Amino acid sequence: MSVTDFGPATAASRPALLRFPGDVRTVTGSTFLIESDHARVLLECGLFQGFTDLRRRNRAKLPYDASSIHAVVITHAHLDHCGYLPRLVRHGFRGPILTSAHTARLAEIVLRDSARLQMETARHANEHGWSTHRPARPLHDETDVDTTVKFFDAVPVGNHVETMAGTRLTPLHGGHILGSAWAQLTLEDGHTLATSGDLGRPGHPLLLPPEPFTGADVLLMEPTYGIRRHEPERALTEEPAMTSARYTVNDVMTKNVVTVTPDTEFKEIAAAMKQWKVAAVPVIESKGHVVGVVSEADLLPKEEFHAHRIGLIEQMYRPGDTAKAGAVRAEELMTSPAITVKPDVPLPQAARLMADQRIKRLPVVDADGSLKGIVSRADLLKVFLRSDDDLAAEIRREVVNRLFPASSVKASVTWGVATLTGRVRDVTLIPVAARLAQSVEGVVGVDCRLEGEASD
């Protein structure tokens, strides 16, 4: 572990020491330790990620006593800057975790997701026997995260807060992700130290730009991309690297729709449903806006109450059905307002809406509420008619080639079930690959047979 002396101390204190227990000669596992007379502050607490040799460092003995750390400062909620926090807490840390409010909220999400992945990886290792640990155990679990989040202490960006007697922290906007901030520490001996974290670029449509650096005795930077020049137009216009064509309602909806108007008569509605073999019809006004839907369920009360007089009890407990029993036009029969969906809604979201509302068909409308089509439960199942070859090609393109480039990983699909085989260097990506393959529209199931190249 490297050590840096801050230089001559003041008469009242000794010089602070800066140690590097984290990302030296790598771009992951960010951690810096500041030690002064009365304070031990950890800047960042990142997880080592990537190849096996790096990940092994997460299980190595700490080069410091976790219980002696007075506070931790986190610049942003990426795993390589905050992912080791649950492990630190497990080893005895009980001080405040100082960060912005947004970073605290995002970090909890990231840490919980990391815990689930760690647990999935350990389970997979135990089932397939590729780990040297018997049994394989996760670095941390959700219980560790529950304990960790109790120590988050939000610091307003731009404000000064005293971490320990004589040591002051000032977080300033970093512009990297939501809540990110570069940190400036004023130590008890009067020296100042700043750490950049990961900095963003000016001109982002959602994030404040990084605040200018105002000077410090020591500046810590992570120049991963320091030799590259950004092209101003590309960053905001390029497609993200891990995107896949997702099917939307517009891809499967029926565009020729049987409709009625508010003044359409009962028998005409029933005849249309029979002729076109549909269970419901949208009701549209003159401008094409959907104002309601008449379904078979709306017509049934007419038959149910046809042979007898409607009593007071039925009127009290079934007012809607008894009213429809006497209805003769669509405006009296329809369910309104209509439950509709937009053309660009992903198919899983449309399926959830149908399930939640217990309906079989959804009118598809544009931003103005005008009818553009209709989508049924059968339409949503069309994605499962994709050919096995088409599914396999998408899995190779969007999962295998992106997660495991230049590897021996193979993907095949039979009757909609995807099979992944081969050996990979980074075993933590195995459950990720399985989840991404399952997310491909039309995949029925995934048989993941991936194995690690080396034991971990």
Side-chain angles (χ1 to χ4, degrees):
M1 180 172 66
S2 304
V3 179
T4 297
D5 193 319
F6 275 79
T10 64
S13 64
R14 294 178 299 172
L17 295 178
L18 170 61
R19 300 179 185 272
F20 298 83
D23 59 350
V24 179
R25 300 186 183 92
T26 182
V27 295
T28 184
S30 182
T31 307
F32 311 102
L33 177 59
I34 310 295
E35 297 179 285
S36 64
D37 280 344
H38 302 101
R40 301 189 85 205
V41 179
L42 211 58
L43 297 177
E44 314 284 38
C45 192
L47 199 68
F48 285 101
Q49 299 171 278
F51 297 134
T52 301
D53 288 345
L54 285 174
R55 296 197 314 278
R56 283 198 180 110
R57 299 189 194 182
N58 294 319
R59 298 184 184 273
K61 182 179 179 181
L62 287 175
Y64 52 84
D65 180 2
S67 63
S68 71
I69 304 298
H70 297 116
V72 177
V73 176
I74 300 295
T75 62
H76 65 282
H78 279 156
L79 206 61
D80 58 331
H81 288 255
C82 70
Y84 196 81
L85 284 171
R87 191 81 171 171
L88 187 73
V89 170
R90 179 183 282 190
H91 282 298
F93 171 74
R94 292 298 181 269
I97 301 171
L98 304 169
T99 190
S100 72
H102 289 313
T103 293
R105 293 177 64 184
L106 284 177
E108 179 176 356
I109 296 171
V110 169
L111 294 176
R112 291 195 186 282
D113 187 59
S114 173
R116 284 190 287 269
L117 287 174
Q118 292 282 345
M119 294 166 71
E120 285 182 25
T121 301
R123 177 182 56 78
H124 189 277
N126 289 327
E127 289 178 354
H128 297 274
W130 50 257
S131 175
T132 56
H133 304 289
R134 296 290 187 273
R137 292 187 175 87
L139 276 171
H140 60 267
D141 56 28
E142 291 179 320
T143 301
D144 295 317
V145 178
D146 290 338
T147 305
T148 300
V149 298
K150 296 176 182 178
F151 297 110
F152 280 122
D153 190 355
V155 178
V157 176
N159 285 20
H160 306 295
V161 61
E162 196 166 54
T163 60
M164 292 290 293
T167 302
R168 187 172 73 245
L169 165 68
T170 307
L172 298 159
H173 289 293
H176 178 51
I177 62 172
L178 185 65
S180 63
W182 63 272
Q184 186 166 43
L185 280 177
T186 302
L187 307 176
E188 57 192 272
D189 63 2
H191 288 103
T192 56
L193 175 145
T195 179
S196 66
D198 290 346
L199 295 177
R201 300 166 56 195
H204 194 284
L206 298 178
L207 303 175
L208 292 172
E211 294 192 46
F213 176 62
T214 53
D217 294 307
V218 174
L219 173 62
L220 299 173
M221 296 186 69
E222 300 182 27
T224 306
Y225 306 104
I227 61 172
R228 302 184 187 181
R229 180 180 294 276
H230 287 295
E231 297 179 24
E233 298 300 322
R234 288 184 62 188
L236 300 180
T237 58
E238 277 191 342
E239 290 292 327
M242 278 297 292
T243 59
S244 171
R246 309 306 297 169
Y247 283 81
T248 65
V249 167
N250 187 67
D251 296 317
V252 300
M253 71 180 185
T254 300
K255 296 182 180 179
N256 296 322
V257 186
V258 180
T259 63
V260 297
T261 60
D263 59 356
T264 302
E265 299 290 336
F266 182 100
K267 282 199 170 185
E268 190 178 347
I269 298 171
M273 287 183 177
K274 180 180 179 181
Q275 178 184 354
W276 297 103
K277 298 180 181 179
V278 294
V281 290
V283 183
I284 60 171
E285 61 178 10
S286 57
K287 295 182 179 179
H289 293 170
V290 178
V291 295
V293 173
V294 178
S295 68
E296 292 173 335
D298 295 318
L299 302 184
L300 282 177
K302 178 75 73 176
E303 176 63 25
E304 180 183 356
F305 296 108
H306 179 69
H308 73 277
R309 183 173 176 271
I310 299 173
L312 292 176
I313 298 297
E314 289 167 321
Q315 291 182 33
M316 182 181 301
Y317 288 101
R318 297 177 62 187
D321 289 342
T322 55
K324 290 179 180 180
V328 296
R329 288 185 298 274
E331 61 185 347
E332 302 163 328
L333 291 161
M334 68 184 185
T335 299
S336 181
I339 300 169
T340 61
V341 69
K342 297 291 193 300
D344 59 351
V345 167
L347 297 189
Q349 186 176 333
R352 284 194 295 271
L353 181 58
M354 283 187 181
D356 291 343
Q357 300 297 326
R358 298 182 179 179
I359 54 180
K360 297 179 180 179
R361 291 160 66 87
L362 282 170
V364 184
V365 300
D366 61 16
D368 296 326
S370 297
L371 185 67
K372 294 299 178 184
I374 198 158
V375 63
S376 67
R377 292 178 179 179
D379 291 328
L380 297 183
L381 296 176
K382 288 178 182 177
V383 293
F384 293 106
L385 301 179
R386 296 179 66 191
S387 70
D388 289 343
D389 289 343
D390 186 26
L391 293 173
E394 181 171 342
I395 293 172
R396 293 186 198 106
R397 182 178 66 251
E398 301 297 339
V399 180
V400 174
N401 292 347
R402 294 183 185 277
L403 292 182
F404 313 113
S407 72
S408 61
V409 173
K410 306 292 184 184
S412 61
V413 179
T414 304
W415 291 106
V417 177
T419 301
L420 301 176
T421 57
R423 293 185 175 275
V424 299
R425 293 190 65 183
D426 188 352
V427 294
T428 64
L429 292 178
I430 292 176
V432 178
R435 288 163 63 180
L436 288 176
Q438 182 67 68
S439 71
V440 171
E441 297 286 6
V443 169
V444 176
V446 175
D447 181 10
C448 186
R449 304 177 186 177
L450 297 177
E451 299 177 341
E453 287 184 354
S455 13
D456 188 2

